[in-house]
């Protein structure tokens, strides 16, 4: 009776159990539009309900089973239609049979492994989603719900500074230093540029943050460079012995953590690019890779509180009772 569209059909809705309280995160879609999605972390349980609502009350809906899947997949744009799944979990909600009325099914995926961060790039997309399906003989009825996954890291124990020299023999010799080689996404890059020898007329100097996305393997490797930020260091000619400070705040830019060889499909790396332009429009540059990582909000608060205590102790004004009251006030504000 389902021929020519005259039979029963249904609408599917997926509702998470903690939808009212779960935090959301902005994520960019393929077309560049930003939407908000429910935010999850590695190891968190994903649970909720699947509502199957019959379109025509009183009519039966025959089906070959109802299921829900939790999927993590990578799609390379040059190989569209060929999805690489690195997480694939299935829960059967109903055996083959028929529905005579609208019905709700509970589901739970316990402590789900979500090893990589959600990512939408120039040539690749990594997404996590739930897909509920009512299987039918001719055409399945399905609904998808995307979620966003963030990967959190602990503070790197070894985080040495970066010191490099760049120059042209008998014309230019500069040293630049960055305070760290690993930065969290809301960190500040602090550094200095030293001019040891200047015999060319420099008119402009800047630091760029470059994101390099590498996709594919073998002959099908694609590199996509995107300049995330431009920070002007100086406008005008420097003199020998001059030292120029750098403070570059990362929080205002859209960046992800560094991703290396994700599922052997793609990588995302970040570079600090020091650019000098002389009066004849010649460009001199030096690149240095830096590692970016994501820090959790709770960790950041406790670390900022510890930093405040350390500062008070250094100044000799540390008061434990006052510090505790400040901490309680911070918790109330959040």
């Amino acid at each position: 009776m389902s021929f020519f569209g005259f039979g029963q059909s249904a609408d599917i809705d997926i509702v998470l159990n903690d939808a009212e309280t779960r935090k959301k995160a902005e994520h960019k879609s393929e077309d560049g539009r930003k939407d908000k999605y429910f935010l999850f972390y590695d190891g968190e349980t994903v649970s909720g309900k699947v509502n199957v609502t019959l379109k025509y009350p009183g009519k039966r809906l025959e089906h070959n089973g109802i299921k829900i899947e939790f999927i993590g997949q990578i799609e390379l744009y040059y190989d569209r239609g060929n999805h690489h799944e690195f997480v694939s979990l299935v829960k059967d909600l109903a055996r083959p049979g028929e529905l005579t009325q609208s019905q709700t099914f509970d589901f739970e995926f316990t402590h789900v492994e979500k090893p990589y961060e959600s990512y939408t790039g120039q040539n690749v997309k990594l997404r996590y989603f739930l897909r509920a399906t009512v299987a039918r003989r001719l055409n399945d009825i399905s609904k998808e719900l995307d979620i966003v996954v963030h990967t959190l890291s602990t503070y790197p124990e070894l985080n040495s500074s970066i010191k490099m020299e760049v120059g042209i023999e008998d014309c230019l010799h500069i040293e630049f230093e960055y305070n760290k080689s690993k930065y969290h996404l809301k960190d500040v890059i602090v550094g200095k540029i030293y001019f040891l020898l200047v015999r060319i007329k420099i008119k402009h100097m800047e630091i760029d943050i470059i994101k390099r996305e590498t996709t594919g393997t073998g002959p099908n490797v694609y590199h996509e460079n995107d300049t995330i930020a431009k920070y002007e260091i100086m406008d005008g000619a420097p003199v020998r012995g001059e030292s120029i400070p750098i403070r570059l705040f990362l929080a205002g830019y859209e960046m992800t953590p560094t991703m290396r060889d994700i599922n052997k499909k793609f990588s995302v790396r970040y570079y600090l690019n020091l650019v000098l332009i002389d009066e004849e429009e010649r460009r001199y540059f030096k690149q240095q890779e830096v590692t970016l990582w994501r820090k959790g909000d709770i960790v950041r608060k406790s670390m900022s509180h510890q930093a405040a205590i350390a500062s008070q102790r250094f100044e000799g004004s540390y008061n434990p009772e006052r510090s505790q009251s400040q901490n309680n006030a911070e918790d109330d504000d959040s």
Side-chain angles (χ1 to χ4, degrees):
M1 292 296 294
S2 61
F3 293 114
F4 309 114
F6 293 124
Q8 179 64 283
S9 187
D11 291 322
I12 303 178
D13 194 25
I14 304 172
V15 181
L16 297 177
N17 282 341
D18 54 359
E20 293 184 1
T21 56
R22 179 163 291 278
K23 186 177 178 181
K24 287 188 173 184
E26 270 194 352
H27 191 71
K28 190 171 66 173
S29 58
E30 263 185 77
D31 58 8
R33 194 178 70 246
K34 289 182 188 173
D35 292 313
K36 286 197 169 183
Y37 300 91
F38 290 109
L39 176 61
F40 284 84
Y41 299 98
D42 184 26
E44 279 194 295
T45 294
V46 182
S47 64
K49 293 176 171 57
V50 175
N51 300 319
V52 180
T53 305
L54 299 183
K55 286 188 176 180
Y56 310 110
K59 281 189 177 183
R60 294 177 303 161
L61 175 67
E62 294 183 6
H63 63 85
N64 295 329
I66 301 173
K67 66 179 179 179
I68 186 163
E69 302 164 271
F70 181 86
I71 296 172
Q73 71 179 22
I74 297 171
E75 180 184 0
L76 299 168
Y77 295 163
Y78 66 81
D79 190 20
R80 281 193 183 274
N82 195 5
H83 301 137
H84 306 275
E85 294 186 357
F86 55 88
V87 176
S88 181
L89 305 174
V90 184
K91 297 277 186 185
D92 289 319
L93 302 178
R95 293 180 177 179
E98 59 182 39
L99 292 179
T100 57
Q101 61 184 11
S102 300
Q103 201 165 338
T104 296
F105 303 90
D106 293 318
F107 70 87
E108 181 175 272
F109 295 100
T110 308
H111 305 310
V112 184
E113 183 182 3
K114 312 174 198 71
Y116 312 122
E117 175 139 343
S118 299
Y119 177 74
T120 302
Q122 300 286 336
N123 293 312
V124 63
K125 177 169 64 178
L126 188 153
R127 66 185 282 242
Y128 294 86
F129 61 96
L130 290 160
R131 179 167 60 207
T133 305
V134 177
R136 303 176 72 191
R137 190 160 58 89
L138 291 179
N139 57 329
D140 294 346
I141 307 169
S142 65
K143 178 69 176 288
E144 294 182 356
L145 176 69
D146 279 79
I147 65 168
V148 163
V149 170
H150 282 176
T151 54
L152 301 180
S153 303
T154 54
Y155 194 85
E157 291 182 13
L158 293 174
N159 200 355
S160 56
S161 61
I162 299 172
K163 292 183 180 180
M164 294 188 72
E165 295 186 13
V166 60
I168 305 165
E169 190 173 356
D170 296 329
C171 293
L172 178 70
H173 186 192
I174 62 175
E175 289 180 352
F176 59 94
E177 179 179 353
Y178 304 118
N179 61 330
K180 294 183 286 190
S181 56
K182 301 171 184 175
Y183 298 89
H184 62 78
L185 297 182
K186 296 184 179 178
D187 215 335
V188 184
I189 296 175
V190 178
K192 283 185 179 180
I193 308 275
Y194 303 96
F195 291 89
L196 303 178
L197 176 65
V198 184
R199 287 182 179 166
I200 58 175
K201 294 183 178 179
I202 298 172
K203 71 170 188 176
H204 182 74
M205 190 172 182
E206 68 183 27
I207 284 184
D208 301 338
I209 300 176
I210 295 175
K211 181 177 82 170
R212 179 171 299 157
E213 178 186 289
T214 304
T215 52
T217 55
N220 295 321
V221 174
Y222 297 87
H223 299 287
E224 195 77 42
N225 288 345
D226 186 17
T227 302
I228 303 294
K230 286 180 179 287
Y231 175 77
E232 185 179 279
I233 299 172
M234 56 166 288
D235 190 11
V239 295
R240 181 179 177 181
E242 191 171 355
S243 172
I244 299 176
I246 299 168
R247 285 182 72 85
L248 177 55
F249 293 83
L250 300 180
Y253 302 107
E254 291 182 21
M255 292 188 288
T256 66
T258 295
M259 303 179 185
R260 291 191 172 90
D261 200 22
I262 300 300
N263 205 234
K264 295 185 168 60
K265 294 293 184 292
F266 74 97
S267 297
V268 180
R269 297 171 185 256
Y270 291 88
Y271 297 84
L272 294 178
N273 190 31
L274 181 65
V275 181
L276 290 80
I277 303 172
D278 67 15
E279 290 188 343
E280 296 179 12
E281 297 299 327
R282 289 178 297 201
R283 297 169 66 88
Y284 311 90
F285 60 90
K286 184 77 171 181
Q287 277 190 5
Q288 173 64 40
E289 183 177 1
V290 292
T291 300
L292 299 184
W293 54 284
R294 186 184 297 281
K295 183 167 68 170
D297 293 340
I298 297 172
V299 176
R300 185 171 69 248
K301 180 189 288 187
S302 62
M303 287 181 67
S304 66
H305 181 62
Q306 290 169 6
I309 292 175
S311 176
Q312 289 171 11
R313 281 181 173 150
F314 180 75
E315 294 169 0
S317 58
Y318 176 57
N319 183 330
E321 292 183 4
R322 178 172 172 269
S323 175
Q324 183 61 43
S325 65
Q326 281 183 341
N327 195 28
N328 293 338
E330 283 184 10
D331 292 340
D332 292 340
D333 292 340
S334 63

